[in-house]
Amino acid sequence: MSSDTQGAVGQSVLRREDDYLLRGQGRFVDDLPTPLNTLHLAFVLSPYAHARITSIDTSAALALDGVVDVLTGADLAAMVKPIAAQIELPGYSFNTRDVLAVDEVRFAGEAVAVVVAESQYLAEDGIELVEVDYEPLPAVTDIHEATDPAAPQVNPTVPGNVYFEGRFATEGVAAGFDTAAHVISEDFNSNRVTAVPIEPRGCLAVPEQPANLVFYSSTQIHHLLRTALAEFLDVAESNLRVVVPDVGGGFGIKAALYPEEFVCAALALRLRRPVKWIQDRYGALLTDVHARDNHYRVEAAIDDDGIVLALRAEIRTNGGAYSALPFGCTLETTGGARMIVGPYRITEYEYTATAVATHTAPVLAYRGVAQPVCFMAIEGIMDRIARRLGLDPAEVRLRNMVPTAELPWTNIVGVRYDTGSFVESLEMAMEMANYDEFRASQAQGRLVDGKYRGIGICSFTEVSGTGAPGWRARGLTRLPGFDSGTVKVEPTGKVTAFVSHAHSGQGHFTTFAQVVADALGARLEDVTVVEGDTAAGPYGTNTFASRSAVTGGGALIRASEKARLKLARIAAFMLESTPEDIVVSDGRMHVAGVPSRALSFQEVAETAYAMNTSDLPEGESFGIEETDFYDPPLVTMANATHIAQVAVDAADGTVDIEGYVVVHDCGRVINPMIVDGQVMGGVAQGIGEALMEEFVYDPDGGVRTATLMDYLLPSSVDVPNYQIAHIESPSIDTVGGFKGVGEGGLIGAVAALVNAVADALSDLDVNVNTKPLRPALLSRLIREAGG
Amino acid sequence: MTDEVEVTVTVNGRTRQSRVEPRRLLVDYLRHDLGLTGAHIGCEQGVCGACTVLLDGRTARSCLHFAVTVDGSDIRTVEDLADLDELHPIQEMFHQKHALQCGFCTPGFLLTAVELLERTADPDEATIREALMNNVCRCTGYANIVDAVAEAAVELRRGHGA
Amino acid sequence: MKPAPFSFVAPESLGEVVRTLAEHGDDAQILAGGQSLVPLMNLRLARPEVVVSINRCHELDYIRLADDRLVIGALVRQIDAETSPLVQAECPLLAKALPHVGLPATRNRGTVCGSLAHCDPLAELPAVALALEAEVVLTNVAGERRVPAHDFFVAEMTTCIEPGEVVSAVTFARQDPGERSAVGEVSNGGHVFPVGGVALRWASSDGICTMARIAAFGVGSVAQRLGDAERALVGSDVGPAAIAAAVAAARSEVDPTGDIHADADYRRHLVGVLLERGLLEGSVHD
Ligand SMILES: Cc1cc2nc3c(=O)[nH]c(=O)nc-3n(C[C@@H](O)[C@H](O)[C@H](O)COP(=O)(O)OP(=O)(O)OC[C@H]3O[C@@H](n4cnc5c(N)ncnc54)[C@H](O)[C@@H]3O)c2cc1C
Ligand code: FES
Ligand code: FES
């Protein structure tokens, strides 16, 4: 038996989800029709980063017409257990969070009370009338100050404000540094940012009979959310159904489990009424998880050829005030430490990686996780090696990269790179960017017409599709790695495919249909994908960390193959042939070599569903509905090179991006159009992170960036046209050969831009080791250097 | 003092008469009173443009207007662009060019594009990018939106010429 | 983020507006385009009890020449001023500045007078008003007074408007046909306010500068006229030395503050950069 349907996979199939979204008929959580008796929530947020709550007077709010209830931390504590991320790493300081602060607030924006009212307007009227007395306490927001013995203690179970300190060293590090011809070292500072999906978060909890709660949430992790609701609300998981409607962007921040979700579900169960909460932008900026408040100190021991003999990294990441669920505050810490080695042959490596507690919003996943910063660091080091030795930065990279011929290759922390194109992607990107010509033109000086011109490279590996062993290696023992698919051939021969993912704009309804059509031998238009509903299809780990193509694609291929086998068995019986001789293609089955002896999916399905007079083969069960699970390897490694070309205005410090090239390798490409979309969107976010975005706290922890007037996002005039090309090195370790693509755009852009700006200013001998690179900063560097 | 006020507006060609609280934002009125959920709320600070509608033919932030302020006005929302069978040429180009991912910002971009192409039949790329500053997209990186608008301009010119 | 309750009045004449203001005193606030007021109300940072909308006051929707000045009524939207042939002919500096004000959608609704009344330190139009020697017409039940721009802007978000008064119009000096003008600014990102900028106009006769009006924004709590820089130019040939002198004067007469978007030194530096650029690139027409 075989399937010779040629290729839905690999085609730029236009998206099925577009039509209704374009008509304004998307169903985002705030668009869902709500029962008339729905109640609305608004949260009272602490303006202080650190304070004791001395009293809360809810009487005035309760007296307001339309306010149904006002609850404080103590009230909620009786309904929801303290929530906690489960991390099993030696020395990790376990900590818990009350869904509403009980006695003490630990970051500006932490909720202290919730108002339940008949409308959102009334709920917000209510929060103004809740009188909270705070006794402000000293706060610490800075990752270095936090570990000063005199610093205020953030969390009672996190001594010295250190959540976790991880260490690793290979034996020959010291020797590497001893024998090195040069040691290059640098400090890299990364600004705190947050993802800012344009749709803020929200949820709607609708109690249904009997004792069932349907919970709509703009989450990326519906199964994990359902399990957590069951656990922390102490309700039967089987009585909970989590549904993900359309989601307006997630980028990782919606792959966290938030207090508001637990509060909303608890109140719906208690009040026996639908309860809705829609976040506003102010709340989003203050309470969504943040990212990238990191410091890296990196030292590289090199020989005279620029070969890295040994690498040392000292990494400090700000975990915020609590370890957020489900990945915990060590996500960036262990991530950066393990990923920084990238595409390079690093044979001796040592790291210290520390997650620090501060009075700031919890930090968790944002597109790229640690990688934008660890590659800013290692790629910054590559450029510094080049400058020190008078080599070209591209040459230094090429000398240190693992060549394709040596793949599969296992890196120093045990991650296997099965296939890839480190060298090829760099060479191709250089060609597309006219790299050599650009370098030649720089020989006359980088300052032309009032602008310093520079070029920057980021060659990197992109962690994707992490399986259970990958999470275990990072202490996440309660995080599964698998996803699941169920493929159902309906009586009419149409196909419904269920997958344990939830989209937030990635086009899953289209791409997964492509995967199933090929694996099953169905016609693309006959396949419908269902996801984002815990009541439809089996359990899975859901959608974050560039997983869906790898884990969902893999699971669907396996389930499709099972379904195809069953189709073939029944068809063989009906055609008096053998299953091995049945060819499945294009929604039909025929006997190999005899196209006229054929059946449609519908004819076979009618037999399977006992809707005709044919018999099923002996022992065959009814229906055609097959499920399988797929846990990918430790990590599935994609790779890419970005090259950015910039002009820095000598007078005002503004940066123009004059060229932008990406060569990306995510293994087998399902839909090139969608892959390009992921890359472009990621690059734009990386431009934001490198050049303008920054979440700012006062030294005392007050928030300075509470609106989008102050937290800046890139616009259409801030981004260039992108030149994108693909290399396909199908994974040999995963089912389907796919590698993830969700994050690379952002990862590569940050380092490419920082390096390009540094290159532009390199004649001035200024050190660019921080971001965002706003005009004021660059202008100061230029002026200080006398440029 | 804050009693409900009568408002009459024409929305997508239909006259609507309602009593609303003065503070009711136009976006809430459209979404929750009229059921036109195509305009989305992304910030309520005027920055993101997800709530964009055409107010008397020009783009406007429906989060920065009270329903009462626009009494007597003509409002067009994204729901008015396509007919049952066919998408508007701009919508069609957004589809062809993959100019949307999550689609949350999309209704706003479409109306911005309608306004631009009504004023400027043949905009160059810089003009398109300037106009698109009206809206923020966090998913697409803008390039495909710029392309879609440029192609839609061609399509619309062809349509007029025919 | 929903506004607090208020009551709403939408008078149809200027007379009715000022009577309504008189009746409610401090509790009332004018709503023009709403592009600055409504964000503040949504955040509940502004909570007027009575909102007096001038959006039905069509008599305030005019752009005309009167007494040798360009007059813009309080209901004129920024987009209409930007595209007005009269504005482009008589006050090209204003026409050049308007495309920098916010975004297309905010210009479609925001008014010229509203921007002046709002008095944001980063706003372009207050600086343009200084450079164009604007007079703000303030009307109340008793009549009207005309306040020169330099007295009108007091501090960040503070003008000399008294309770009961409305800005009914603003008048600008007409620019001479040979005058050159420019607006320059820098921002950290496309969507929102700049971190600082400069608006300037100057005239020359036989190669000698006869008049210069320069104003900066984002360099303090309120837009600022740069008199020393102007004096450095008038009588000069606007050559490199004069420009350098004007730049130095501008940098020393501003006293900017730093914030999360830019530090004070940068803003001081930027004033000079933009002034120099304006002087080199300033044009008669846009
Ligand atoms: C996303 C965004 C970006 C923006 N970017 C910029 C920018 O770059 N530069 C810039 O300058 N502005 C910018 N703005 C603000 C600008 O759009 C506003 O139009 C302007 O500041 C206020 O004009 P308005 O007519 O909307 O006034 P409103 O918002 O209606 O009123 C503003 C204030 O002025 C008072 N007021 C208004 N009119 C009168 C009057 N006739 N008499 C007395 N008082 C009055 C009001 O009571 C209120 O206090 C931006 C706004 C947004 C939402
Ligand atoms: S919601 Fe109106 S501009 Fe963002
Ligand atoms: S498509 Fe998601 S914000 Fe634009």
Side-chain angles (χ1 to χ4, degrees), chain C residues 99-136:
Chain C
H100 294 281
V101 179
L103 312 164
T106 67
R107 292 197 291 280
N108 284 339
R109 301 301 296 174
T111 61
V112 172
C113 290
S115 174
L116 302 178
H118 190 60
C119 197
D120 191 300
L122 295 174
E124 293 84 357
L125 297 189
V128 170
L130 291 173
L132 284 173
E133 296 164 304
E135 275 186 358
V136 180

Side-chain angles (χ1 to χ4, degrees), chain A residues 120-121 124-125 128 280 282 649 651-652 654 692 696 704-705 707-710 712-715 718 774-776 779 783, chain C residues 1-5 42-44 47 186-193 259-263 265-266 269-270 273-274 277:
Chain A
Q120 200 172 340
Y121 285 76
E124 292 187 26
D125 292 348
E128 288 193 301
D280 59 33
Y282 174 80
D649 190 290
D652 66 24
T654 53
M692 64 191 82
V696 184
R704 300 282 300 276
T705 43
T707 72
L708 294 183
M709 291 282 193
D710 288 325
L712 306 178
L713 301 175
S715 75
D718 298 314
R774 290 179 171 173
S779 167
R783 276 176 283 140
Chain C
M1 286 203 310
K2 307 296 180 190
N42 285 351
L43 285 162
R44 299 198 182 204
R47 33 189 328 146
V186 164
S187 74
N188 286 340
H191 284 286
V192 289
F193 284 91
D259 60 23
I260 59 167
H261 301 296
D263 57 67
D265 283 347
Y266 176 68
H269 168 75
L270 184 64
V273 171
L274 296 174
R277 219 172 259 171

